[in-house]
Amino acid sequence: MNEEQIRLVILDILDKIAPDEDLTDLDDSQPFRDQMELDSMDFLDIVMELRKRYRVQIPEEDYQNLVTMDSTVTYLLPLLKDVESPA
Amino acid sequence: MQYDTIIIGAGLSGLAAGIRLAYYDQKVCLLERHTTIGGLNSFYRLRHRNYDVGLHAVTNYAEKGDRSKPLNKLLRQLRLSWDDFALCPQIESSVVFPDCTLRMTNDFELLRSQVSESFPDQADGFNRLVQSIDEFNPFAETEGYLSAREHVRKYLTDPLLENMLFCPILFYSSATPNDLDLRQFVIIFRSILQEGFSRPQEGIRRILRVLVKKFRGEGGELKLRTGVKRILEKNGAACGVELDNGEILEGKRVLSSAGLIETQRMCEEPFVEEKAATGDISFVESISSLDCAPADLGHHGTVVFFSNQTDFRYERPNTPVDLRSGIICSPNNYQFDEPLEENKINITALADHEYWLNIGDEDIYQQAKQEYSQAIIENAINIVPDFRDHIIDQDVFTPRTIKKFTGHLNGAVYGSPTKQLSGTTPLDNLFLCGTDQGFLGIIGAMLSGISMANAHCLK
């Protein structure tokens, strides 16, 4: 997957976790939590969905990389570069 | 074969935990000793009628889409939609004390105005109390017991109002007599007074059916009539269970909803002192089937919490049943689109578990059930219209019934007075969820299962 494809995967996961949120105006450089209501249970689900879908293990100390869309994509790119895009 | 997680007890907490784990591809086995699921919130059929046990009302009512509310967080975590539980809001509930009644609905402002009408000199204190509850974080990791009574007395000076607020909160959650931990008080204040009650048309069956279908759909395995004899240990860690029939199941971890002492008894070494940690609060409930709707007799209340005396006592009584107070619940009195097919009034009263558990003779037990059921009803018709001529069938459950079907020692529906909020035990890979982890009620039980699965079984 490339950066854009990873971004779409994250959007899809966010949509699953928070089905009522409008994600069209999401600012990729700003923290998710400032733009939508995500508590720690929801946040864990981002990590867990990535594990379920792509078998990527994200250690707890790396959670800080998942704060914004930009940082998430940057962090995931090396982990997912050899994975086929679902789209 | 080895399971990722073995869950003991297919009640609401075990089912919710199971859904989380199975959804995230764990190999999960959910073990239930009884012939059906539900635990403390279950159901049965008797003489062609359906009965619910445990469920009076689902607390934490929230409208669809209100994301911050516990109900909706829970549904999201279980990947269920709001419509799955088909919750219908209550009509109106009340707290009835001598010479004073407070009415409440799922709009908290009604209770607020009722307080200021009945207790004008307490209105300001009440508003400040509510503000303190709004600002309080009951999930912050703080140590030690905080008395809810002491907190409330900082704001309210009238003992009648204090008791009228504690009455529904103690009745619907407390494993400790007369007072409870402030954190739990805050959670229950929000869930029953601020958010309010609802119920699915089909009662608890609806919720359980949705959960078990989801659990199985995600690949979870449910074994009924399968009790656990002991939890297997290796090098200070749980590694599986031995079933009542001697079969061994291996698991990387065990999550038990059986209760603190009940779980401890399955382990080699005890981890708490048994007597102090065994619950004492139990109930007798008289369930009457009527030939007409309670509303036809002029009774529209959903849940009525009452006390015949200003000094409300919530404790194990010295008599088989405590006739000084009770809960009158009518499952018909919700805002259903269609009226329920069966008409019921449930009346619950505190009971002395020792009396009920020690009756050896079956005839005497049956006779005591009838006798005290009549007394409970006679007491309640001081508060609600006399429905005795309309009773077409009756059933009664006692602490003995609760113990038999849930395994809870003393028939203690709210479990141990000592809650294990972290869910951990001295044994690695053995965790607790459900009543003795600390979240109570139907929504609380499911949240307990979810949060313990998240904290200990997923990371």
Side-chain angles (χ1 to χ4, degrees):
Chain A
M1 279 192 270
N2 61 30
E3 286 167 321
E4 187 48 33
Q5 287 163 329
I6 294 173
R7 184 178 185 277
L8 289 175
V9 163
I10 299 298
L11 280 179
D12 187 54
I13 289 174
L14 290 174
D15 185 53
K16 183 153 195 172
I17 295 168
D20 315 316
E21 295 273 352
D22 182 7
L23 298 170
T24 46
D25 292 332
L26 192 77
D27 182 338
D28 290 2
S29 66
Q30 294 300 313
F32 293 123
R33 284 199 187 192
D34 294 352
Q35 305 176 74
M36 54 192 290
E37 210 179 297
L38 275 189
D39 63 17
S40 56
M41 292 205 298
D42 297 323
F43 190 77
L44 173 70
D45 274 20
I46 300 178
V47 175
M48 292 304 301
E49 284 287 339
L50 285 164
R51 190 198 293 184
K52 181 178 165 85
R53 294 179 188 200
Y54 306 109
R55 309 270 151 212
V56 258
Q57 297 280 0
I58 303 173
E60 220 167 325
E61 57 269 25
D62 287 357
Y63 286 5
Q64 52 181 332
N65 293 306
L66 308 180
V67 171
T68 69
M69 180 64 92
D70 285 337
S71 68
T72 305
V73 171
T74 307
Y75 174 76
L76 289 173
L77 189 61
L79 300 173
L80 293 175
K81 65 178 182 344
D82 297 330
V83 176
E84 286 284 323
S85 169
Chain B
M1 190 198 54
Q2 189 191 39
Y3 290 101
D4 291 306
T5 305
I6 293 171
I7 303 173
I8 303 175
L12 291 163
S13 69
L15 282 162
I19 290 172
R20 286 290 293 171
L21 300 175
Y23 176 81
Y24 285 120
D25 301 325
Q26 283 200 10
K27 205 162 165 39
V28 187
C29 190
L30 181 51
L31 303 171
E32 172 58 53
R33 179 171 273 146
H34 190 25
T35 53
T36 189
I37 57 172
L40 287 162
N41 290 281
S42 194
F43 56 89
Y44 58 95
R45 206 166 158 81
L46 181 73
R47 298 183 286 270
H48 311 292
R49 290 194 175 81
N50 287 322
Y51 290 86
D52 276 4
V53 262
L55 174 85
H56 279 181
V58 179
T59 60
N60 299 85
Y61 183 72
E63 296 286 342
K64 197 175 191 165
D66 192 347
R67 293 201 63 226
S68 63
K69 290 292 196 304
L71 171 68
N72 291 327
K73 285 187 183 195
L74 159 103
L75 291 166
R76 223 154 59 231
Q77 284 274 304
L78 298 178
R79 302 291 187 269
L80 295 172
S81 86
W82 193 91
D83 299 308
D84 282 328
F85 287 165
L87 294 171
C88 300
Q90 66 168 323
I91 293 175
E92 185 176 292
S93 294
S94 56
V95 184
V96 179
F97 271 52
D99 305 319
C100 189
T101 295
L102 292 175
R103 293 155 52 218
M104 52 203 201
T105 60
N106 292 356
D107 177 4
F108 182 65
E109 294 313 310
L110 174 65
L111 180 62
R112 205 194 286 271
S113 71
Q114 290 272 299
V115 168
S116 60
E117 262 172 50
S118 300
F119 301 91
D121 64 325
Q122 302 289 302
D124 178 53
F126 181 75
N127 288 333
R128 286 186 294 114
L129 170 66
V130 174
Q131 194 186 341
S132 79
I133 287 168
D134 290 341
E135 289 165 359
F136 190 86
N137 176 9
F139 305 106
E141 284 178 31
T142 44
E143 292 291 316
Y145 176 82
L146 302 166
S147 160
R149 291 270 187 183
E150 274 174 34
H151 180 80
V152 170
R153 283 174 192 158
K154 284 188 231 162
Y155 303 94
L156 303 179
T157 53
D158 190 327
L160 175 61
L161 178 57
E162 176 190 319
N163 275 323
M164 290 183 81
L165 293 174
F166 273 86
C167 174
I169 290 173
L170 289 165
F171 262 139
Y172 269 4
S173 76
S174 187
T176 51
N178 296 318
D179 196 359
L180 69 170
D181 188 88
L182 178 60
R183 283 154 285 205
Q184 193 188 324
F185 176 86
V186 168
I187 293 171
I188 305 297
F189 188 97
R190 289 177 186 165
S191 71
I192 69 180
L193 302 182
Q194 292 182 301
E195 293 166 4
F197 298 145
S198 64
R199 184 184 189 276
Q201 180 112 17
E202 302 158 72
I204 195 68
R205 284 173 179 78
R206 169 76 180 216
I207 294 173
L208 291 171
R209 196 174 61 238
V210 166
L211 295 177
V212 84
K213 188 173 164 217
K214 185 80 181 174
F215 176 65
R216 287 196 165 123
E218 298 296 345
E221 203 179 319
L222 170 66
K223 290 177 191 276
L224 296 174
R225 298 181 183 85
T226 308
V228 172
K229 192 189 293 171
R230 60 191 184 103
I231 292 165
L232 303 175
E233 304 171 17
K234 202 162 132 188
N235 305 327
C239 61
V241 297
E242 182 186 340
L243 304 179
D244 286 341
N245 67 7
E247 195 187 331
I248 304 283
L249 298 181
E250 288 175 44
K252 289 181 194 158
R253 54 189 91 73
V254 176
L255 180 61
S256 173
S257 67
L260 173 65
I261 304 297
E262 294 82 349
T263 301
Q264 160 169 301
R265 286 189 178 179
M266 295 180 225
C267 298
E268 283 171 25
E269 301 278 340
F271 31 89
V272 289
E273 205 274 300
E274 188 154 313
K275 194 161 181 338
T278 306
D280 228 8
I281 303 284
S282 191
F283 297 95
V284 162
E285 183 163 290
S286 158
I287 309 172
S288 300
S289 286
L290 308 182
D291 64 6
C292 65
D296 296 340
L297 303 172
H299 178 54
H300 303 275
T302 306
V303 185
V304 180
F305 304 90
F306 71 91
S307 172
N308 297 337
Q309 52 185 53
T310 309
D311 178 27
F312 170 62
R313 305 301 296 172
Y314 179 86
E315 59 202 10
R316 176 183 159 193
N318 298 321
T319 47
V321 164
D322 191 338
L323 294 171
R324 296 170 297 177
S325 63
I327 313 167
I328 306 163
C329 167
S330 311
N332 303 82
N333 289 344
Y334 286 84
Q335 297 173 35
F336 298 127
D337 293 334
E338 300 282 329
L340 297 188
E341 282 174 25
E342 295 181 27
N343 303 298
K344 296 232 169 62
I345 290 187
N346 303 29
I347 309 166
T348 317
L350 287 158
D352 174 14
H353 56 80
E354 218 165 273
Y355 170 82
W356 292 98
L357 293 173
N358 287 340
I359 305 179
D361 185 281
E362 185 61 23
D363 289 340
I364 296 176
Y365 175 66
Q366 294 301 334
Q367 205 182 321
K369 281 210 309 191
Q370 293 317 313
E371 190 182 314
Y372 284 102
S373 175
Q374 295 321 313
I376 286 172
I377 293 171
E378 275 166 33
N379 196 26
I381 56 174
N382 296 317
I383 313 275
V384 297
D386 189 348
F387 59 88
R388 285 174 299 178
D389 290 345
H390 298 271
I391 297 173
I392 47 174
D393 200 0
Q394 242 182 348
D395 199 31
V396 185
F397 70 75
T398 73
R400 181 162 129 175
T401 326
I402 299 163
K403 182 163 185 259
K404 179 176 170 190
F405 291 109
T406 72
H408 274 266
L409 298 169
N410 293 348
V413 291
Y414 300 129
S416 168
T418 324
K419 301 301 180 197
Q420 311 294 311
L421 295 178
S422 72
T424 55
T425 69
L427 206 56
D428 287 344
N429 300 334
L430 171 64
F431 306 101
L432 300 178
C433 68
T435 307
D436 283 350
Q437 184 267 319
F439 293 168
L440 293 133
I442 288 168
I443 300 296
M446 287 188 270
L447 282 172
S448 169
I450 290 169
S451 54
M452 292 303 105
N454 287 350
H456 303 303
C457 308
L458 279 178
K459 281 179 186 166

